[in-house]
Amino acid sequence: MSAAFEGPARQIGIQLSEGASLHFDDINTRGGVHQHKLKLIKLDDGYEPPKTVENTKRLIEEYKVDALFTYMGTPTSWAIKPLLERSQLPFITPFTGADFLRSATTFHVFNLRASYQQEAYEQIQFLTQEKRLKKIALLIQADEFGLTLEKSLVKALKDMNLTAITITRFRRNTQDIDKALTRIAASGAEAVAMVGTYDPLAEFIKKAEASKSAFIYSTVSFAFSNALYARLTKPETIMTTEVVPDPLDCDVELCEEFKRLAKHNNITVSRLAFEGYLNAYVTTQALNRCKPPFDKTCLMTQLEDVRIEDHKLQALFNHPQRNKYVVFRSYYQ
């Protein structure tokens, strides 16, 4: 696993890995998979693509891993595409909804989370159909992640016969949002669909409030709503699309298992940690269906079968919190 364990986006990598480790460690205490223990190797890339490439080479050449697991981010995943094509290692449950990972033909990828197209559509539905707004600005992280979601948001607006009133950008891993705020405030926007990590988005919202700019906000699951909301102190209307239900409001079997293990191991219960837990659960269920020795073709086939056939997953996917647009929601209001 290569993810941000240091730097401004570190809470995403930390909580994903904590959730995954909860499940892997639990499996290992019960004998592992086919009497083999599972080892999750975690390398920090700070959410910077060059470091992700370096880490991936190390995982392949030095550690000789069997699979690459729960990588964090679109620009980081895009940067290792040549390595995925060359190594043909399974790329399992990346923390991104990017399009290029859903149409892959030259490497092996398994996605569990919703796509960014689905998340973008749900956000625009919320802003235009429920809030009845038409003047929508886009605040976009300036990289592959931002570009992917910008295209999806623009398309969703077009489907509503609308265009963004303005599109502004900021640099990844910075809080450099002043110019973007000035431009959006001058545009007459009623709402801002935001694409980024929790620190710059929280900074934007706080500075907008301080400047007396009144917006309704939406953002995607990558922003990690727990960390975003924790950085805000005044009421705002923010809708975040999510890809798993809130485990605190969920009583299906996988939610209960996760909460029990989290409590026992003193791990914070959050959607992000729960997603990491689910990623590990699907992986171990697929491995259990494959006879040793490890075979990546079997793993990829069984991952798809587990997603379709596993009764615990189906109970989760049919949870009442889920709406017809595939994604879930959280609110700060």
Side-chain angles (χ1 to χ4, degrees), residues 1-2 16 24 38 40 66-72 77 80 84 89-96 101 107-113 275-276 278-284 286-287 294-296 298-304:
M1 178 179 183
S2 181
L16 280 172
F24 287 142
L38 298 160
L40 179 60
D66 292 308
L68 303 172
F69 174 81
T70 308
Y71 270 48
M72 173 190 149
S77 297
I80 65 162
L84 295 174
L89 281 175
F91 192 52
I92 301 173
T93 60
F95 187 69
T96 168
L101 293 172
F107 57 93
H108 305 289
V109 60
F110 172 77
N111 296 290
L112 189 61
R113 65 185 353 253
E275 184 171 347
L278 292 175
N279 292 347
Y281 172 80
V282 173
T283 300
T284 55
L287 287 169
F294 175 81
D295 181 278
K296 63 187 177 187
C298 178
L299 174 62
M300 297 307 296
T301 299
Q302 292 303 325
L303 281 166
E304 295 290 347

